């Protein structure tokens, strides 16, 4: 059994060309049919009026009227009627008396015979136009009464134009309409190819199935992106949004964007088409980092905006990790530098054979470090906080800053629900700022004093320095993102991150001016409802 040949379905280009040509041909055919019908009706109406006009002229001819009184009317009327027929172009002119007997006819043998069509209307005084069959065939006919001088109807004047002559005239006009239709088709064929080619070019020569597949791929990629992503038109219409964006924005992710902070950022982006914008925005009581990238139709014309929204906490976690790494690096560097100096000192004493002094020096160093470690281990429950404080002690030694602890301090009542990582971020940044402030202002006399207590319902720590101090205006400035006195791109986020980490703990901070320097106080509640244990956090993750 032979296999059936399956015709290949034409592509989008072929389908569009066929569609445009089909529509064009149908429109041309409808136009031709409509015009033909209109022309047909117009010519028939015009021909009928022409026949009636000739019939009335014949009926008013005095010679014909007078001939009705002659002994043989046909002999007088036939020549006159034929002469009028030739002059008017009519196919026949028939004159008949009241009884319907013909006095004239193009075929002389029909004279004296009765007419085949009814004369009832003209004998009643009415003129009529109609299409009917006669001796010569189908014709457009007009009949009108003939009156004598007294106004009496004495006969009927009948004029006709054969329909084949009318149809030939109609056919000529139809050919002209068809010619115009053919010309329109010749112009339409290349036009159809041009339109189809242009549409294909605008959709990157993709077929509908490929467009559908590409759209599905785009949606899948968009939904798989971990960050909230939106595409927005310059008129603030949301073109697409992934699930994360819908979760964050809620009702704001449908139709027209209504979130006020994002609208303000988009207006800024529209005014600066060549600038990539990254800003913080408060959305539903949470802080997010918003990246705005314009979609440029031309070099300076924006056709849309792409927004990427990330929780500030994720950025903060990365920043905390970097801060911790930097702190560990500083601690190691400080320890290396400090112990290198001490090793050099010890080496010098040994070279000078001052063995007793060398033993005393080693004992003093070990005792000092051991005292600090013992004090912190015995007064602070969380080892991560102990580690960061030891690191700050080593850094203080490197910076030649005296760092001391209140001997009555303790943080033993430290609930497991408090995230020590956030506490490390808070105190680490504040101690760094205190060390730098005192070192810059006092030099070798710089000093930092720490005291902490777990008395009551809060964990409280005071960090005092003998630096320059801070005015209210400086406080407002330094606690904004990016504010710093250091000329380095990595600085300017510490205090902002500290504030946010303290907010995660539900804590507060206070600044108190001293005679010399500043005292920063932090208070962290022990029983914050939002706190979870480390085990609960691991299970949640």
């Amino acid at each position: 059994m032979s296999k059936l040949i399956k015709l290949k379905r034409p592509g989008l280009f072929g389908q569009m060309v066929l569609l445009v040509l089909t529509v064009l041909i149908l429109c041309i055919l409808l136009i031709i049919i409509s015009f033909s019908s209109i022309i047909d009706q117009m010519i028939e109406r015009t021909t009928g009026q022409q026949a009636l006009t000739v019939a009335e002229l014949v009926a008013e001819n005095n010679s014909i009227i007078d001939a009705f009184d002659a002994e043989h009317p046909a002999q007088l009327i036939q020549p006159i009627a034929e002469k009028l027929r030739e002059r008017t172009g009519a196919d026949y002119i028939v004159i008949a008396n009241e009884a319907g007997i013909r006095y004239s006819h193009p075929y002389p043998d029909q004279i004296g015979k009765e007419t085949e069509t009814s004369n009832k209307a003209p004998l009643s005084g009415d003129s009529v136009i109609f299409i009917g069959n006669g001796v010569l065939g189908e014709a457009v006919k007009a009949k009108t009464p003939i009156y004598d001088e007294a106004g009496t109807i004495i006969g009927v004047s009948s004029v006709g134009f054969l329909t084949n002559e009318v149809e030939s005239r109609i056919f000529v006009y139809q050919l002209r309409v068809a010619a115009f239709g053919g010309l329109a088709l010749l112009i339409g064929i290349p036009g159809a190819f041009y339109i189809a080619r242009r549409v294909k070019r605008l959709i990157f020569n993709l077929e509908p199935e490929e467009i559908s597949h590409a759209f599905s791929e785009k949606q899948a990629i968009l939904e798989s992106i971990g960050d909230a992503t939106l595409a927005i038109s310059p008129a603030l219409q949301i073109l697409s949004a992934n699930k994360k964006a819908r979760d964050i924005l809620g009702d704001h992710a449908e139709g027209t964007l209504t979130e006020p902070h994002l609208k303000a950022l988009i207006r800024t982006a529209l005014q600066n088409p060549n600038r990539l914008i990254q800003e913080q925005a408060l959305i539903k009581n949470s802080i997010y980092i918003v990246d705005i990238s314009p979609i440029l139709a031309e070099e300076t014309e924006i056709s849309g905006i792409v927004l990427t929204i990330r929780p500030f906490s994720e950025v903060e976690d990365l920043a905390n990790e970097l801060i911790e790494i930097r702190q560990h690096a500083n601690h190691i560097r400080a320890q290396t530098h400090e112990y290198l100096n001490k090793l050099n000192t010890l080496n010098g004493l040994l070279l000078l054979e001052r063995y007793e002094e060398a033993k005393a020096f080693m004992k003093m160093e070990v005792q000092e470090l051991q005292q600090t470690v013992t004090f912190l281990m015995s007064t602070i429950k969380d080892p991560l906080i102990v580690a960061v404080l030891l690191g700050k002690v080593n850094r203080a030694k490197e910076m030649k800053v005296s760092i001391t602890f209140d001997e009555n301090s303790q943080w033993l009542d430290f609930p497991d629900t408090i995230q020590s990582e956030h506490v490390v971020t808070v105190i680490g940044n504040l101690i760094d700022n205190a060390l730098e402030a005192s070192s810059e202002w006092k030099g070798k006399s710089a000093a930092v004093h720490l005291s902490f207590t777990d008395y009551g319902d809060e964990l409280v720590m005071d960090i005092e320095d003998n630096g320059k101090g801070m005015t209210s205006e400086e406080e407002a400035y330094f606690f904004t993102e990016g504010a710093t006195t250091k000329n380095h791109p990595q600085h300017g986020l510490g205090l902002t991150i500290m504030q946010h980490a303290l907010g995660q703990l539900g804590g507060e901070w206070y600044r108190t001016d001293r005679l010399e320097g500043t005292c920063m106080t932090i208070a962290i509640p022990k029983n914050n409802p939002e706190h979870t244990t480390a085990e609960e956090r691991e299970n949640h993750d």
Side-chain angles (χ1 to χ4, degrees):
M1 183 176 178
S2 61
K3 294 183 179 180
L4 295 175
I5 299 175
K6 186 176 180 180
L7 295 177
K8 185 179 178 181
R9 182 181 178 183
L12 180 62
F13 179 80
Q15 292 179 36
M16 291 185 65
V17 170
L18 290 175
L19 177 62
V20 173
L21 289 179
T22 301
V23 172
L24 182 62
I25 292 171
L26 287 176
C27 289
I28 291 173
L29 288 175
L30 288 174
I31 291 172
I32 291 174
I33 293 171
S34 299
F35 269 88
S36 297
S37 176
I38 293 170
I39 291 170
D40 192 3
Q41 294 175 10
M42 288 178 61
I43 291 178
E44 287 182 357
R45 190 181 304 114
T46 303
T47 304
Q49 288 295 329
Q50 183 181 358
L52 180 59
T53 301
V54 174
E56 289 174 345
L57 289 174
V58 172
E60 293 173 359
N61 188 286
N62 293 326
S63 299
I64 292 176
I65 294 172
D66 293 341
F68 271 83
D69 295 329
E71 185 177 352
H72 299 286
Q75 295 178 359
L76 298 174
I77 293 174
Q78 172 69 2
I80 299 171
E82 284 300 297
K83 187 181 294 184
L84 291 172
R85 183 177 69 82
E86 292 174 0
R87 289 176 60 185
T88 58
D91 289 304
Y92 69 83
I93 295 177
V94 174
I95 306 298
N97 61 14
E98 290 179 285
I101 302 301
R102 300 185 185 102
Y103 288 161
S104 68
H105 195 279
Y107 295 162
D109 60 336
Q110 295 295 319
I111 296 173
K113 294 180 180 180
E114 189 176 348
T115 58
E116 295 184 359
T117 55
S118 173
N119 296 321
K120 183 177 179 180
L123 292 176
S124 300
D126 297 324
S127 298
V128 293
I129 299 173
F130 62 98
I131 298 176
N133 286 313
V135 176
L136 299 179
E138 188 179 59
V140 179
K141 300 181 178 183
K143 288 189 176 187
T144 190
I146 302 174
Y147 297 91
D148 60 10
E149 292 180 357
T152 303
I153 297 176
I154 59 175
V156 175
S157 172
S158 177
V159 176
F161 291 87
L162 295 177
T163 54
N164 57 358
E165 294 293 333
V166 174
E167 288 172 356
S168 64
R169 291 168 60 189
I170 292 173
F171 182 70
V172 171
Y173 286 108
Q174 288 176 338
L175 286 178
R176 293 179 182 177
V177 173
F180 281 112
L183 179 62
L185 184 60
L186 289 176
I187 297 173
I189 291 173
F193 277 89
Y194 172 77
I195 292 172
R197 179 65 64 189
R198 175 168 173 76
V199 171
K200 282 283 288 182
R201 190 163 54 246
L202 289 174
I203 59 174
F204 304 103
N205 290 320
L206 295 175
E207 293 297 320
E209 296 81 4
E210 295 172 327
I211 295 173
S212 176
H213 183 67
F215 181 79
S216 300
E217 281 185 348
K218 188 212 76 166
Q219 286 297 109
I221 292 171
L222 190 64
E223 294 295 339
S224 67
I225 296 174
D227 297 330
T229 306
L230 300 95
I232 299 175
S233 72
L236 300 183
Q237 289 290 326
I238 296 177
L239 306 177
S240 62
N242 65 356
K243 184 178 184 300
K244 190 68 174 289
R246 295 192 295 270
D247 292 341
I248 292 175
L249 297 178
D251 295 337
H252 295 301
E254 298 177 0
T256 302
L257 182 68
T258 55
E259 209 292 318
H261 296 91
L262 294 180
K263 288 172 66 176
L265 291 176
I266 290 173
R267 291 192 194 98
T268 303
L270 292 174
Q271 295 170 0
N272 303 275
N274 296 316
R275 175 186 164 199
L276 298 179
I277 295 176
Q278 184 181 75
E279 295 287 348
Q280 288 187 23
L282 182 66
I283 303 173
K284 291 188 175 181
N285 299 320
S286 298
I287 300 175
Y288 294 90
I289 300 295
V290 180
D291 293 304
I292 299 181
S293 302
I295 303 171
L296 298 178
E298 297 177 0
E299 291 186 3
T300 58
E301 183 180 352
I302 294 179
S303 61
I305 298 281
V306 175
L307 270 69
T308 304
I309 305 172
R310 293 167 291 161
F312 180 77
S313 57
E314 294 181 3
V315 180
E316 182 190 37
D317 290 341
L318 291 175
N320 286 340
E321 290 182 14
L322 290 174
I323 288 172
E324 288 180 14
I325 292 171
R326 188 177 66 183
Q327 288 175 346
H328 288 310
N330 288 337
H331 300 162
I332 293 171
R333 182 168 55 85
Q335 286 179 341
T336 301
H337 184 71
E338 183 69 17
Y339 285 116
L340 183 61
N341 289 335
K342 292 176 181 179
L343 285 174
N344 288 332
T345 302
L346 184 61
N347 183 55
L349 291 172
L350 293 174
L351 289 175
L352 294 172
E353 298 182 354
R354 307 288 291 271
Y355 301 119
E356 292 300 323
E357 288 87 342
K359 290 191 332 186
F361 178 75
M362 290 174 63
K363 184 178 180 180
M364 180 186 68
E365 289 299 322
V366 171
Q367 284 180 344
E368 181 182 354
L369 179 60
Q370 189 61 43
Q371 286 174 356
T372 303
V373 172
T374 301
F375 171 76
L376 293 177
M377 291 290 291
S378 63
T379 57
I380 298 176
K381 178 182 177 181
D382 192 287
L384 193 60
I385 297 176
V386 173
V388 75
L389 290 176
L390 283 174
K392 298 307 177 186
V393 169
N394 290 327
R395 189 176 181 213
K397 288 183 179 180
E398 183 190 39
M399 296 174 66
K400 307 301 180 184
V401 177
S402 172
I403 185 167
T404 58
F405 297 89
D406 189 311
E407 61 183 12
N408 296 317
S409 298
Q410 72 170 25
W411 266 10
L412 295 175
D413 186 10
F414 195 97
D416 292 337
T417 55
I418 295 179
Q419 291 182 266
S420 55
E421 297 88 352
H422 291 324
V423 179
V424 166
T425 299
V426 173
I427 64 177
N429 277 286
L430 290 177
I431 293 174
D432 280 341
N433 287 337
L435 292 173
E436 290 166 1
S438 57
S439 177
E440 289 176 5
W441 186 250
K442 287 292 186 177
K444 293 183 178 181
S445 301
V448 173
H449 182 72
L450 275 69
S451 61
F452 43 91
T453 179
D454 55 10
Y455 182 75
D457 297 329
E458 295 179 319
L459 298 173
V460 180
M461 177 178 282
D462 292 332
I463 303 170
E464 301 179 57
D465 65 68
N466 62 348
K468 181 181 178 181
M470 187 184 302
T471 64
S472 299
E473 292 76 11
E474 288 173 332
E475 177 185 328
Y477 168 72
F478 286 122
F479 280 88
T480 58
E481 180 189 352
T484 180
T485 59
K486 310 174 186 68
N487 185 22
H488 194 281
Q490 298 301 321
H491 292 291
L493 283 174
L495 290 176
T496 303
I497 293 174
M498 181 279 294
Q499 248 182 330
H500 193 264
L502 193 58
Q504 295 287 96
L505 295 167
E508 297 178 336
W509 62 271
Y510 309 94
R511 181 181 64 84
T512 306
D513 294 326
R514 303 288 196 223
L515 291 176
E516 279 190 323
T518 301
C519 175
M520 296 294 292
T521 301
I522 60 169
I524 302 170
K526 296 178 182 178
N527 299 313
N528 189 336
E530 296 182 1
H531 288 165
T532 57
T533 64
E535 183 178 353
E536 290 173 338
R537 290 193 293 273
E538 288 179 3
N539 292 335
H540 177 71
D541 293 339

